[in-house]
Amino acid sequence: MYQSDLLAGRTFLVTGGGTGLGRAMAMRYAELGATIAICGRRTAPLEATCADIAAAGGKAHWVSTDVRDMEAVEAAIVELEAKTGPIDGLVNNAAGNFLCASEDLSPGAFDSVVKIVLYGTFNCTQALGKRWIERDTQGAVINIVTTYAWMGSAFVLPSAAAKAGVLAMTRSLAVEWATYGIRLNAIAPGPIPTEGAFSRLMAGGMEKEALARIPAGRFGRPDELADLAVYLMSPAAQWVTGEVVTLDGAEWLKSGQEFSGFTSHPRANVKAVLNSMRPKKK
Ligand code: HXC
Ligand code: NAP
C-alpha cells in the first residue's frame, strides 16, 4: 500500500526497537527506505534486529542505553547520529510492565515502570525536540500508549498512570511545539502477541479471556501497528498532530458499553433472545 521509497532520506529512532512491536516498526520503516536507529538495554536483540534489517537491504544502527537516564539518552543520541546522520523521527516504544495488586507494589516496582514509560518518553522526546528546534527540523514523534491510558486499568497501575502521562505529554507538546513544525501523535494498541508483553501479562487462561473481549475476534498483528506508524511518520500525516489512534478491534469500546457483552455470544442466540422480547404484533 505504500511506495517503496516513501521514507527515503528520513532517519528514525525507535526505542525498544530490538524486540516485539518496536522491532516490527523498525523493520517496516527500513523496508520503506528510512535509516533506522534503535536502542534498548540488552545488546543481543538490538544486534539481531540491525543484522536482519541489513540482510534485507536496509540501514540500521543500535546503541545500548537505559531510557530512564537522561545523560545516557543524550550520549546515545550523539553516538547514533554520528552513524545515522540527524534523526528526524522518534518512536517512544520502550516500556516496562507487569501484573501486580497495587497494594503489593514496592516503591521500586512503581518507580521502575513509571521511569521507563513516563520519564523515558520525556527524556527521548526532549533530547530530540531540543535538537529539532535548534536545527529547524520538522520532527515527528509517535508515542506507543495503550487503551487504558484513558480508561485506567486494575493490576497494572504504574503502567496505566505512566501511559496516561504520556498521552497528556503528547497532547501538550502537540500544541506547544506546533509552532516549530514538530508533530506528536500516539498509537493505542490493544493486545498484540509479543514475548515481552504476553509473558508478563497473560498468565494462565488470561489469553483466552482477552481474546473473548475483542469484538473483532482476534488479537492485533505487529505489521498492522507498523503500517499505522508509517502513515503517522509520512508526509501524508503532515496536519495530524495531538491525536491518539486506537488499534484494538473495538476492544475498549466494548468494555465500556452497557449491552456490548452480547457480542461474546453466538449472534443467532442473541437475536433469538432479542426477538423473543419484541412485543407481539396485534
Ligand atoms: C511485582 C515486580 C515485578 C512483578 C519486578 N518487580 N517484577 N513487582 N511484580 N512481576 C519489582 C522488583 O521487585 C523491583 O522492585 C522493581 O520492580 C524493579 O525490578 P527489576 O527487575 O530490578 O527492574 P528492571 O530490571 O529494571 O526491570 C524492569 C521491569 C521488567 C519493568 C520490572 O519487567 C522489564 O524489564 N520490562 C521490560 C519489558 C516489558 O515489560 N515489556 C512489556 C511491555 S507490554 P524493588 O522494590 O524490589 O526494587 C505493555 C502492554 C500493555 O506495556 C498493554 C497490553 C494490552
Ligand atoms: P517488548 O518486546 O517487551 O518491548 C519493550 C522494549 O522496551 C524492549 O525492547 C525493551 O528492551 C525496551 N526497554 C524496556 N525498558 C527499557 C529501558 N529502561 N531503556 C531502554 N529500553 C527499554 O514489548 P512489546 O509488546 O513490543 O511492547 C512495545 C510497546 O507497545 C510498549 O510501549 C507497550 O506498552 C506497547 N503495547 C504493547 C501491547 C501488546 O499487546 N504487545 C499492547 C499495548 C501497548 P530491553 O529490555 O532490552 O531494554
Side-chain angles (χ1 to χ4, degrees), residues 117-248:
V117 176
L118 184 58
Y119 283 64
T121 299
F122 173 74
N123 290 343
C124 297
T125 304
Q126 197 201 36
L128 280 169
K130 279 197 291 201
R131 286 169 167 80
W132 294 339
I133 292 167
E134 214 175 274
R135 295 170 186 163
D136 200 14
T137 298
Q138 301 207 330
V141 178
I142 299 174
N143 292 327
I144 308 299
V145 294
T146 183
T147 48
Y148 59 64
W150 57 89
M151 292 292 284
S153 175
F155 304 110
V156 284
L157 174 71
S159 170
K163 294 282 191 187
V166 170
L167 188 53
M169 200 187 307
T170 310
R171 291 169 169 157
S172 304
L173 283 175
V175 174
E176 191 177 331
W177 285 355
T179 189
Y180 303 118
I182 299 172
R183 298 184 302 112
L184 295 99
N185 290 292
I187 298 177
I192 303 178
T194 65
E195 167 64 26
F198 275 44
S199 65
R200 290 177 174 88
L201 303 172
M202 298 283 179
M206 286 170 62
E207 197 166 321
K208 217 172 142 199
E209 276 175 38
L211 189 57
R213 278 196 303 273
I214 303 173
R218 65 171 176 85
F219 291 128
R221 296 192 315 262
D223 64 287
E224 292 173 313
L225 172 76
D227 277 334
L228 177 57
V230 168
Y231 166 71
L232 288 174
M233 280 296 188
S234 77
Q238 222 34 269
W239 217 48
V240 182
T241 188
E243 188 50 87
V244 54
V245 184
T246 300
L247 186 80
D248 76 340

Side-chain angles (χ1 to χ4, degrees), residues 16 19 21 41-42 65-67 93-95 145 163 189-190 192 194 196:
T19 66
L21 304 182
R41 292 164 301 174
R42 290 164 298 154
T65 197
D66 189 328
V67 295
N93 163 83
V145 294
K163 294 282 191 187
I192 303 178
T194 65

Side-chain angles (χ1 to χ4, degrees), residues 263-274:
T263 58
S264 305
H265 303 285
R267 193 57 53 95
N269 296 7
V270 172
K271 284 192 176 190
V273 172
L274 300 186

Side-chain angles (χ1 to χ4, degrees), residues 82-134:
K83 294 174 189 157
T84 62
I87 293 167
D88 62 3
L90 165 68
V91 183
N92 284 304
N93 163 83
N97 205 354
F98 47 74
L99 291 166
C100 185
S102 299
E103 63 274 24
D104 296 335
L105 284 166
S106 67
F110 186 81
D111 200 60
S112 170
V113 172
V114 173
K115 287 240 166 90
I116 299 171
V117 176
L118 184 58
Y119 283 64
T121 299
F122 173 74
N123 290 343
C124 297
T125 304
Q126 197 201 36
L128 280 169
K130 279 197 291 201
R131 286 169 167 80
W132 294 339
I133 292 167
E134 214 175 274

